[in-house]
Amino acid sequence: MTDTYLDMVNSGLGKQLAGKLGLPRPVTLRRFTADGDFPSGSVLVLGRGAAGDAASSALLGWDLDVRRHAQDVDRVGAVVIDYTEVDSPADLADAALELASAVRKLRPGGRVITLSRPAPGIGTGAASGMLPGARQLTPSQAAARQGVVGMLRSIAQEMRGGVTANGILLADDVAADAPGVTGALRFFLSGRSAYVDGQFLTVGDDRGDADVDWVHPVAGKVAVVTGAARGIGAQVTRTLAASGATVIPVDVPAAGDALSKLANELRVPALQLDVTDPQAGQKILDLAVSRYGRLDLVVHNAGITRDKMLANMDQAKWDSVIAVNIESQLRITETLLASDQLGPAPRIVCLASTSGVAGNRGQTNYAASKAGVIGAVAATAPLIAEKGGTINAVAPGFIESDMTAKIPAARRQISRRLNSLQQGGTPEDVAQAITFLLSDAAGGINGQTLRVCGQSLVGA
């Protein structure tokens, strides 16, 4: 679905008109390409902790121009701020004000990334209170750490030109140079995170692989995607295949034609299956193992909506949404974890939604199911960690799709602009975030929900 307004305000006459009238001027985002995926310009690293030094080393290893003082650079592609050693709110000022002097130097599509430690027991979408190794903090230390969260999210709302701001939280027992930190840094710098803004990822342990092939980060993996015939599911399937995985697309028999077309395009087997089938998990395993000997990656994408105001909700609409969106995921995941036929580092990503974070009018059943996904992911994390794996969720916001195309035009335009990037995301944005979380570069990230919403101004 095309955003004609975005196209218009990026043309010569439309750009001038929008400027004169004070209209929103979203820009085309810098998305992932195999060639030249880093932002243009120097990378400014602020702060004097070990995490900043480790980040500088990684950035230099990627052949980027690294500077440590704002006055030393004219064209800034990204700013990385090390706040891992703050002990009081007063410690936030120096780097923040140096960033302020560099904001106007940020190039379009640039990045601002903070490195900090979580404040235990305070939610940032990272279940920080449950992290192993979390240490007791003084009130001043907790205030400083949580201050980084509020500051970063405010910075994200002030950026323009497709610049995003995101944060990496290092658990207290995670080293500054842990592979998972490097992987998260690479993701946030990359075009794979184009529609991720104002969000945090917590690296909870030292697992991960800093040497993943960024163009083919899931090379050699066997993956299954449910709800794969259309929309986000089809894009996830294609993106994983382009990223090196062998993907088995799964969808209901009613979507058989579209499913077969996709499978033929990728030259892989497809599975027509209702995910609410009590044997769905075993059937998925049986096909993957019979064809490829194991199953490494699973994307729980299948989902439905049956929207009604609660006063008009009936049993059938409620039960069907819960059955497809969360109960099927729980049952399939339980079957997978009980199996000895998963790969050595199994990874699962579940589709949640910003409706599950903030709620949405007329979607009590859907919001309950997607909030359930977030809860299930957090509780399943320690179980899959025992197998050397991870499970995470991705929560899309407004994504340009056949479903959102049915929203009345005026409401659709408003929904597009109600985020820091002032536009809708694409299925590719969701697929790229999922691909990262399925890669070994994200091995230290477990039990979390990453919003792919352009920092929607709804909810946390």
Side-chain angles (χ1 to χ4, degrees), residues 368-434:
S369 71
K370 293 303 186 178
V373 169
I374 294 170
V377 162
T380 305
L383 304 178
I384 197 169
E386 294 175 1
K387 291 180 171 287
T390 61
I391 181 170
N392 294 287
V394 164
F398 184 92
I399 302 298
E400 304 285 357
S401 65
D402 291 341
M403 182 173 69
T404 53
K406 298 175 183 176
I407 298 173
R411 183 180 170 191
R412 187 165 67 244
Q413 286 294 344
I414 292 171
S415 298
R416 280 172 171 151
R417 311 306 162 208
L418 283 177
N419 61 68
S420 296
L421 298 175
Q422 299 181 317
Q423 61 191 280
T426 68
E428 175 72 5
D429 295 326
V430 181
Q432 293 291 1
I434 289 172

Short mmCIF file of all heavy atoms in Angstrom, two decimals, residues 368-434:
data_model
loop_
_atom_site.label_atom_id
_atom_site.label_comp_id
_atom_site.label_asym_id
_atom_site.label_seq_id
_atom_site.Cartn_x
_atom_site.Cartn_y
_atom_site.Cartn_z
N ALA A 368 -6.24 -8.72 24.42
CA ALA A 368 -5.99 -9.75 25.42
C ALA A 368 -5.07 -10.84 24.87
O ALA A 368 -4.15 -11.29 25.56
CB ALA A 368 -7.31 -10.36 25.88
N SER A 369 -5.31 -11.25 23.63
CA SER A 369 -4.50 -12.31 23.04
C SER A 369 -3.06 -11.84 22.83
O SER A 369 -2.11 -12.59 23.08
CB SER A 369 -5.11 -12.78 21.72
OG SER A 369 -4.97 -11.81 20.69
N LYS A 370 -2.86 -10.60 22.38
CA LYS A 370 -1.51 -10.12 22.10
C LYS A 370 -0.76 -9.76 23.37
O LYS A 370 0.48 -9.93 23.44
CB LYS A 370 -1.57 -8.93 21.15
CG LYS A 370 -2.08 -9.29 19.75
CD LYS A 370 -1.23 -10.37 19.09
CE LYS A 370 -1.63 -10.64 17.66
NZ LYS A 370 -0.77 -11.65 17.01
N ALA A 371 -1.45 -9.29 24.39
CA ALA A 371 -0.81 -9.12 25.69
C ALA A 371 -0.42 -10.48 26.25
O ALA A 371 0.63 -10.64 26.89
CB ALA A 371 -1.74 -8.39 26.65
N GLY A 372 -1.26 -11.48 25.98
CA GLY A 372 -0.94 -12.84 26.39
C GLY A 372 0.33 -13.34 25.74
O GLY A 372 1.13 -14.06 26.37
N VAL A 373 0.55 -12.99 24.49
CA VAL A 373 1.79 -13.37 23.80
C VAL A 373 3.00 -12.80 24.54
O VAL A 373 4.00 -13.49 24.77
CB VAL A 373 1.78 -12.88 22.34
CG1 VAL A 373 3.16 -13.02 21.70
CG2 VAL A 373 0.74 -13.64 21.53
N ILE A 374 2.91 -11.53 24.94
CA ILE A 374 4.03 -10.88 25.64
C ILE A 374 4.32 -11.60 26.95
O ILE A 374 5.49 -11.87 27.29
CB ILE A 374 3.70 -9.40 25.87
CG1 ILE A 374 3.61 -8.66 24.52
CG2 ILE A 374 4.75 -8.74 26.77
CD1 ILE A 374 3.05 -7.26 24.61
N GLY A 375 3.27 -11.93 27.69
CA GLY A 375 3.45 -12.64 28.95
C GLY A 375 4.02 -14.04 28.75
O GLY A 375 4.91 -14.47 29.50
N ALA A 376 3.52 -14.75 27.73
CA ALA A 376 4.00 -16.10 27.48
C ALA A 376 5.47 -16.11 27.09
O ALA A 376 6.23 -17.00 27.49
CB ALA A 376 3.15 -16.75 26.38
N VAL A 377 5.88 -15.13 26.30
CA VAL A 377 7.28 -15.05 25.87
C VAL A 377 8.19 -14.87 27.08
O VAL A 377 9.23 -15.54 27.21
CB VAL A 377 7.46 -13.90 24.85
CG1 VAL A 377 8.92 -13.50 24.73
CG2 VAL A 377 6.90 -14.31 23.50
N ALA A 378 7.83 -13.97 27.99
CA ALA A 378 8.66 -13.73 29.17
C ALA A 378 8.77 -14.99 30.03
O ALA A 378 9.85 -15.30 30.56
CB ALA A 378 8.09 -12.57 29.98
N ALA A 379 7.66 -15.73 30.16
CA ALA A 379 7.68 -16.93 31.01
C ALA A 379 8.36 -18.12 30.35
O ALA A 379 8.89 -19.00 31.03
CB ALA A 379 6.24 -17.31 31.38
N THR A 380 8.37 -18.15 29.02
CA THR A 380 8.99 -19.26 28.30
C THR A 380 10.49 -19.08 28.18
O THR A 380 11.23 -20.05 27.94
CB THR A 380 8.36 -19.39 26.89
OG1 THR A 380 6.94 -19.52 27.01
CG2 THR A 380 8.88 -20.61 26.16
N ALA A 381 10.98 -17.86 28.34
CA ALA A 381 12.40 -17.56 28.13
C ALA A 381 13.34 -18.47 28.92
O ALA A 381 14.28 -19.04 28.35
CB ALA A 381 12.68 -16.09 28.43
N PRO A 382 13.13 -18.67 30.23
CA PRO A 382 14.06 -19.55 30.95
C PRO A 382 13.97 -21.01 30.51
O PRO A 382 14.95 -21.75 30.61
CB PRO A 382 13.66 -19.38 32.42
CG PRO A 382 12.27 -18.83 32.39
CD PRO A 382 12.17 -18.03 31.13
N LEU A 383 12.81 -21.43 30.01
CA LEU A 383 12.65 -22.81 29.56
C LEU A 383 13.45 -23.08 28.29
O LEU A 383 14.12 -24.11 28.17
CB LEU A 383 11.16 -23.11 29.32
CG LEU A 383 10.21 -22.86 30.50
CD1 LEU A 383 8.78 -23.17 30.10
CD2 LEU A 383 10.64 -23.68 31.71
N ILE A 384 13.39 -22.16 27.34
CA ILE A 384 14.13 -22.37 26.10
C ILE A 384 15.63 -22.08 26.30
O ILE A 384 16.47 -22.64 25.60
CB ILE A 384 13.55 -21.52 24.96
CG1 ILE A 384 14.04 -22.04 23.60
CG2 ILE A 384 13.87 -20.04 25.12
CD1 ILE A 384 13.32 -21.44 22.41
N ALA A 385 15.96 -21.25 27.29
CA ALA A 385 17.38 -21.00 27.59
C ALA A 385 18.07 -22.28 28.02
O ALA A 385 19.28 -22.46 27.77
CB ALA A 385 17.50 -19.93 28.68
N GLU A 386 17.34 -23.18 28.66
CA GLU A 386 17.92 -24.47 29.05
C GLU A 386 18.36 -25.28 27.85
O GLU A 386 19.23 -26.15 27.96
CB GLU A 386 16.90 -25.26 29.87
CG GLU A 386 16.56 -24.62 31.22
CD GLU A 386 15.46 -25.36 31.95
OE1 GLU A 386 14.97 -26.39 31.39
OE2 GLU A 386 15.09 -24.95 33.05
N LYS A 387 17.77 -25.01 26.69
CA LYS A 387 18.15 -25.69 25.45
C LYS A 387 19.13 -24.87 24.62
O LYS A 387 19.38 -25.18 23.45
CB LYS A 387 16.89 -26.00 24.62
CG LYS A 387 15.98 -27.05 25.23
CD LYS A 387 14.77 -27.28 24.35
CE LYS A 387 13.96 -28.48 24.83
NZ LYS A 387 14.62 -29.77 24.54
N GLY A 388 19.62 -23.77 25.19
CA GLY A 388 20.55 -22.91 24.48
C GLY A 388 19.88 -21.97 23.51
O GLY A 388 20.55 -21.40 22.64
N GLY A 389 18.56 -21.78 23.66
CA GLY A 389 17.82 -20.97 22.70
C GLY A 389 17.24 -19.70 23.28
O GLY A 389 17.48 -19.34 24.44
N THR A 390 16.45 -19.02 22.47
CA THR A 390 15.80 -17.78 22.88
C THR A 390 14.38 -17.73 22.33
O THR A 390 14.06 -18.37 21.33
CB THR A 390 16.55 -16.54 22.35
OG1 THR A 390 16.57 -16.58 20.92
CG2 THR A 390 17.97 -16.49 22.88
N ILE A 391 13.55 -16.94 23.00
CA ILE A 391 12.21 -16.63 22.50
C ILE A 391 11.96 -15.16 22.76
O ILE A 391 12.24 -14.64 23.84
CB ILE A 391 11.13 -17.51 23.16
CG1 ILE A 391 9.74 -17.18 22.58
CG2 ILE A 391 11.13 -17.37 24.67
CD1 ILE A 391 8.65 -18.17 23.00
N ASN A 392 11.50 -14.46 21.76
CA ASN A 392 11.19 -13.04 21.88
C ASN A 392 9.93 -12.73 21.08
O ASN A 392 9.43 -13.57 20.33
CB ASN A 392 12.36 -12.20 21.36
CG ASN A 392 13.60 -12.33 22.21
OD1 ASN A 392 13.68 -11.80 23.31
ND2 ASN A 392 14.60 -13.05 21.70
N ALA A 393 9.40 -11.55 21.28
CA ALA A 393 8.22 -11.11 20.54
C ALA A 393 8.52 -9.82 19.81
O ALA A 393 9.36 -9.02 20.23
CB ALA A 393 7.03 -10.91 21.49
N VAL A 394 7.81 -9.63 18.71
CA VAL A 394 7.83 -8.37 17.97
C VAL A 394 6.40 -7.83 17.98
O VAL A 394 5.46 -8.56 17.68
CB VAL A 394 8.33 -8.59 16.53
CG1 VAL A 394 8.00 -7.39 15.66
CG2 VAL A 394 9.84 -8.84 16.52
N ALA A 395 6.27 -6.56 18.34
CA ALA A 395 4.96 -5.93 18.42
C ALA A 395 4.86 -4.83 17.36
O ALA A 395 5.35 -3.71 17.58
CB ALA A 395 4.72 -5.34 19.81
N PRO A 396 4.27 -5.12 16.21
CA PRO A 396 4.13 -4.09 15.17
C PRO A 396 3.13 -3.02 15.57
O PRO A 396 2.17 -3.27 16.31
CB PRO A 396 3.63 -4.88 13.95
CG PRO A 396 3.90 -6.32 14.26
CD PRO A 396 3.79 -6.43 15.75
N GLY A 397 3.34 -1.82 15.04
CA GLY A 397 2.36 -0.75 15.16
C GLY A 397 1.56 -0.67 13.87
O GLY A 397 1.09 -1.69 13.36
N PHE A 398 1.42 0.54 13.32
CA PHE A 398 0.68 0.71 12.07
C PHE A 398 1.58 0.27 10.91
O PHE A 398 2.60 0.90 10.62
CB PHE A 398 0.25 2.16 11.86
CG PHE A 398 -0.60 2.37 10.63
CD1 PHE A 398 -1.98 2.31 10.71
CD2 PHE A 398 -0.01 2.59 9.40
CE1 PHE A 398 -2.77 2.49 9.58
CE2 PHE A 398 -0.78 2.77 8.25
CZ PHE A 398 -2.17 2.71 8.35
N ILE A 399 1.21 -0.82 10.26
CA ILE A 399 1.98 -1.37 9.15
C ILE A 399 1.14 -1.30 7.88
O ILE A 399 -0.04 -1.68 7.88
CB ILE A 399 2.37 -2.84 9.43
CG1 ILE A 399 3.18 -2.95 10.73
CG2 ILE A 399 3.15 -3.42 8.26
CD1 ILE A 399 4.50 -2.20 10.74
N GLU A 400 1.73 -0.79 6.82
CA GLU A 400 1.03 -0.70 5.53
C GLU A 400 0.75 -2.11 5.01
O GLU A 400 1.69 -2.84 4.66
CB GLU A 400 1.88 0.07 4.52
CG GLU A 400 2.31 1.46 4.96
CD GLU A 400 1.18 2.48 4.91
OE1 GLU A 400 0.07 2.12 4.48
OE2 GLU A 400 1.42 3.64 5.29
N SER A 401 -0.51 -2.49 4.98
CA SER A 401 -0.87 -3.86 4.61
C SER A 401 -2.30 -3.87 4.05
O SER A 401 -3.00 -2.85 4.06
CB SER A 401 -0.81 -4.78 5.83
OG SER A 401 -1.78 -4.39 6.79
N ASP A 402 -2.73 -5.03 3.58
CA ASP A 402 -4.10 -5.16 3.09
C ASP A 402 -5.10 -4.88 4.20
O ASP A 402 -6.18 -4.32 3.96
CB ASP A 402 -4.32 -6.57 2.54
CG ASP A 402 -3.53 -6.82 1.25
OD1 ASP A 402 -3.12 -5.83 0.61
OD2 ASP A 402 -3.33 -8.00 0.89
N MET A 403 -4.74 -5.23 5.43
CA MET A 403 -5.65 -5.02 6.56
C MET A 403 -5.81 -3.53 6.86
O MET A 403 -6.92 -3.03 7.00
CB MET A 403 -5.14 -5.75 7.80
CG MET A 403 -6.06 -5.61 9.01
SD MET A 403 -5.56 -6.63 10.41
CE MET A 403 -4.05 -5.79 10.90
N THR A 404 -4.69 -2.78 6.92
CA THR A 404 -4.80 -1.36 7.22
C THR A 404 -5.35 -0.57 6.03
O THR A 404 -5.86 0.54 6.21
CB THR A 404 -3.44 -0.78 7.65
OG1 THR A 404 -2.46 -1.08 6.66
CG2 THR A 404 -3.00 -1.36 8.97
N ALA A 405 -5.27 -1.15 4.83
CA ALA A 405 -5.84 -0.47 3.66
C ALA A 405 -7.36 -0.37 3.76
O ALA A 405 -7.98 0.47 3.09
CB ALA A 405 -5.45 -1.21 2.38
N LYS A 406 -7.96 -1.21 4.60
CA LYS A 406 -9.42 -1.20 4.76
C LYS A 406 -9.89 -0.15 5.76
O LYS A 406 -11.09 0.08 5.88
CB LYS A 406 -9.88 -2.59 5.20
CG LYS A 406 -9.59 -3.69 4.18
CD LYS A 406 -9.96 -5.06 4.72
CE LYS A 406 -9.60 -6.16 3.73
NZ LYS A 406 -9.87 -7.52 4.27
N ILE A 407 -8.95 0.48 6.47
CA ILE A 407 -9.32 1.52 7.42
C ILE A 407 -9.77 2.75 6.63
O ILE A 407 -9.17 3.10 5.61
CB ILE A 407 -8.11 1.88 8.31
CG1 ILE A 407 -7.68 0.67 9.13
CG2 ILE A 407 -8.42 3.05 9.22
CD1 ILE A 407 -6.40 0.88 9.91
N PRO A 408 -10.84 3.43 7.06
CA PRO A 408 -11.27 4.64 6.35
C PRO A 408 -10.12 5.62 6.16
O PRO A 408 -9.24 5.75 7.01
CB PRO A 408 -12.35 5.22 7.28
CG PRO A 408 -12.90 4.02 7.99
CD PRO A 408 -11.73 3.10 8.18
N ALA A 409 -10.12 6.32 5.03
CA ALA A 409 -8.96 7.12 4.60
C ALA A 409 -8.50 8.13 5.64
O ALA A 409 -7.30 8.25 5.92
CB ALA A 409 -9.30 7.82 3.28
N ALA A 410 -9.44 8.89 6.23
CA ALA A 410 -9.04 9.92 7.19
C ALA A 410 -8.39 9.30 8.43
O ALA A 410 -7.34 9.76 8.90
CB ALA A 410 -10.26 10.75 7.59
N ARG A 411 -8.99 8.23 8.92
CA ARG A 411 -8.44 7.57 10.10
C ARG A 411 -7.08 6.93 9.77
O ARG A 411 -6.17 6.92 10.61
CB ARG A 411 -9.41 6.51 10.60
CG ARG A 411 -8.97 5.80 11.87
CD ARG A 411 -10.00 4.78 12.30
NE ARG A 411 -9.48 3.94 13.38
CZ ARG A 411 -10.06 2.84 13.81
NH1 ARG A 411 -11.20 2.44 13.26
NH2 ARG A 411 -9.53 2.13 14.77
N ARG A 412 -6.94 6.44 8.56
CA ARG A 412 -5.68 5.83 8.15
C ARG A 412 -4.55 6.86 8.14
O ARG A 412 -3.44 6.60 8.58
CB ARG A 412 -5.84 5.19 6.77
CG ARG A 412 -4.63 4.38 6.32
CD ARG A 412 -4.96 3.49 5.14
NE ARG A 412 -5.27 4.24 3.93
CZ ARG A 412 -6.44 4.25 3.32
NH1 ARG A 412 -7.46 3.55 3.82
NH2 ARG A 412 -6.62 4.95 2.21
N GLN A 413 -4.86 8.06 7.62
CA GLN A 413 -3.84 9.11 7.61
C GLN A 413 -3.42 9.51 9.02
O GLN A 413 -2.23 9.71 9.30
CB GLN A 413 -4.35 10.33 6.84
CG GLN A 413 -4.40 10.16 5.34
CD GLN A 413 -3.00 10.00 4.73
OE1 GLN A 413 -2.00 10.31 5.34
NE2 GLN A 413 -2.96 9.49 3.50
N ILE A 414 -4.40 9.62 9.91
CA ILE A 414 -4.08 9.98 11.30
C ILE A 414 -3.22 8.90 11.94
O ILE A 414 -2.23 9.18 12.62
CB ILE A 414 -5.39 10.18 12.10
CG1 ILE A 414 -6.12 11.42 11.59
CG2 ILE A 414 -5.08 10.31 13.59
CD1 ILE A 414 -7.50 11.60 12.16
N SER A 415 -3.57 7.64 11.72
CA SER A 415 -2.82 6.53 12.30
C SER A 415 -1.38 6.51 11.81
O SER A 415 -0.45 6.20 12.55
CB SER A 415 -3.50 5.20 11.97
OG SER A 415 -4.79 5.15 12.52
N ARG A 416 -1.20 6.87 10.55
CA ARG A 416 0.16 6.91 9.99
C ARG A 416 1.02 7.96 10.67
O ARG A 416 2.23 7.76 10.87
CB ARG A 416 0.10 7.23 8.50
CG ARG A 416 -0.25 6.05 7.59
CD ARG A 416 -0.47 6.56 6.19
NE ARG A 416 -0.59 5.48 5.22
CZ ARG A 416 -1.30 5.55 4.10
NH1 ARG A 416 -1.96 6.67 3.83
NH2 ARG A 416 -1.35 4.53 3.27
N ARG A 417 0.46 9.09 11.01
CA ARG A 417 1.26 10.22 11.50
C ARG A 417 1.47 10.19 13.02
O ARG A 417 2.27 10.96 13.53
CB ARG A 417 0.61 11.55 11.11
CG ARG A 417 0.21 11.66 9.65
CD ARG A 417 1.33 11.38 8.66
NE ARG A 417 0.77 11.08 7.33
CZ ARG A 417 1.33 10.32 6.43
NH1 ARG A 417 2.51 9.76 6.67
NH2 ARG A 417 0.75 10.09 5.28
N LEU A 418 0.76 9.30 13.73
CA LEU A 418 0.83 9.30 15.19
C LEU A 418 2.02 8.51 15.70
O LEU A 418 1.90 7.63 16.55
CB LEU A 418 -0.47 8.75 15.79
CG LEU A 418 -1.66 9.71 15.80
CD1 LEU A 418 -2.89 9.01 16.36
CD2 LEU A 418 -1.34 10.96 16.62
N ASN A 419 3.20 8.78 15.16
CA ASN A 419 4.42 8.21 15.70
C ASN A 419 5.56 9.16 15.37
O ASN A 419 5.41 10.11 14.60
CB ASN A 419 4.67 6.80 15.15
CG ASN A 419 4.83 6.76 13.64
OD1 ASN A 419 5.81 7.28 13.09
ND2 ASN A 419 3.87 6.16 12.94
N SER A 420 6.70 8.92 15.96
CA SER A 420 7.81 9.86 15.83
C SER A 420 8.32 9.97 14.40
O SER A 420 8.87 11.00 14.01
CB SER A 420 8.95 9.44 16.76
OG SER A 420 8.54 9.54 18.11
N LEU A 421 8.15 8.91 13.60
CA LEU A 421 8.61 8.93 12.22
C LEU A 421 7.54 9.41 11.26
O LEU A 421 7.79 9.53 10.07
CB LEU A 421 9.11 7.53 11.82
CG LEU A 421 10.30 7.02 12.63
CD1 LEU A 421 10.64 5.59 12.25
CD2 LEU A 421 11.52 7.92 12.43
N GLN A 422 6.33 9.64 11.77
CA GLN A 422 5.22 10.25 11.03
C GLN A 422 4.83 9.47 9.77
O GLN A 422 4.46 10.06 8.75
CB GLN A 422 5.57 11.70 10.67
CG GLN A 422 5.81 12.58 11.89
CD GLN A 422 6.13 14.01 11.53
OE1 GLN A 422 6.90 14.29 10.62
NE2 GLN A 422 5.53 14.94 12.26
N GLN A 423 4.90 8.14 9.85
CA GLN A 423 4.53 7.30 8.72
C GLN A 423 4.26 5.88 9.19
O GLN A 423 4.64 5.50 10.30
CB GLN A 423 5.63 7.29 7.67
CG GLN A 423 6.96 6.74 8.17
CD GLN A 423 8.09 6.99 7.19
OE1 GLN A 423 8.24 6.27 6.22
NE2 GLN A 423 8.89 8.03 7.48
N GLY A 424 3.60 5.11 8.33
CA GLY A 424 3.42 3.70 8.62
C GLY A 424 4.67 2.92 8.31
O GLY A 424 5.52 3.34 7.52
N GLY A 425 4.79 1.76 8.94
CA GLY A 425 5.88 0.85 8.62
C GLY A 425 5.47 -0.07 7.48
O GLY A 425 4.36 0.00 6.96
N THR A 426 6.38 -0.93 7.08
CA THR A 426 6.12 -1.90 6.02
C THR A 426 6.28 -3.31 6.58
O THR A 426 6.97 -3.50 7.60
CB THR A 426 7.10 -1.71 4.84
OG1 THR A 426 8.42 -2.09 5.28
CG2 THR A 426 7.10 -0.26 4.36
N PRO A 427 5.69 -4.30 5.93
CA PRO A 427 5.95 -5.68 6.35
C PRO A 427 7.43 -6.01 6.40
O PRO A 427 7.87 -6.80 7.24
CB PRO A 427 5.20 -6.51 5.29
CG PRO A 427 4.07 -5.63 4.87
CD PRO A 427 4.66 -4.23 4.87
N GLU A 428 8.21 -5.40 5.51
CA GLU A 428 9.65 -5.63 5.52
C GLU A 428 10.30 -5.18 6.82
O GLU A 428 11.23 -5.81 7.33
CB GLU A 428 10.30 -4.91 4.33
CG GLU A 428 11.81 -4.96 4.28
CD GLU A 428 12.38 -6.33 3.91
OE1 GLU A 428 11.58 -7.24 3.59
OE2 GLU A 428 13.61 -6.48 3.95
N ASP A 429 9.80 -4.07 7.40
CA ASP A 429 10.34 -3.60 8.67
C ASP A 429 10.15 -4.65 9.77
O ASP A 429 11.04 -4.89 10.58
CB ASP A 429 9.65 -2.29 9.09
CG ASP A 429 9.96 -1.15 8.14
OD1 ASP A 429 11.07 -1.09 7.61
OD2 ASP A 429 9.05 -0.31 7.92
N VAL A 430 8.97 -5.24 9.80
CA VAL A 430 8.69 -6.29 10.78
C VAL A 430 9.57 -7.50 10.52
O VAL A 430 10.17 -8.08 11.43
CB VAL A 430 7.21 -6.68 10.75
CG1 VAL A 430 6.91 -7.75 11.80
CG2 VAL A 430 6.32 -5.46 10.99
N ALA A 431 9.69 -7.88 9.25
CA ALA A 431 10.47 -9.06 8.88
C ALA A 431 11.94 -8.90 9.24
O ALA A 431 12.60 -9.85 9.68
CB ALA A 431 10.31 -9.33 7.39
N GLN A 432 12.48 -7.70 9.07
CA GLN A 432 13.89 -7.49 9.37
C GLN A 432 14.16 -7.57 10.87
O GLN A 432 15.19 -8.11 11.30
CB GLN A 432 14.35 -6.14 8.82
CG GLN A 432 14.38 -6.04 7.31
CD GLN A 432 15.48 -6.90 6.67
OE1 GLN A 432 16.23 -7.59 7.35
NE2 GLN A 432 15.57 -6.84 5.35
N ALA A 433 13.24 -7.04 11.68
CA ALA A 433 13.41 -7.16 13.13
C ALA A 433 13.35 -8.62 13.56
O ALA A 433 14.12 -9.07 14.42
CB ALA A 433 12.33 -6.33 13.84
N ILE A 434 12.43 -9.36 12.98
CA ILE A 434 12.31 -10.79 13.29
C ILE A 434 13.58 -11.52 12.89
O ILE A 434 14.10 -12.37 13.64
CB ILE A 434 11.08 -11.38 12.59
CG1 ILE A 434 9.80 -10.86 13.24
CG2 ILE A 434 11.10 -12.92 12.62
CD1 ILE A 434 8.53 -11.22 12.50
#
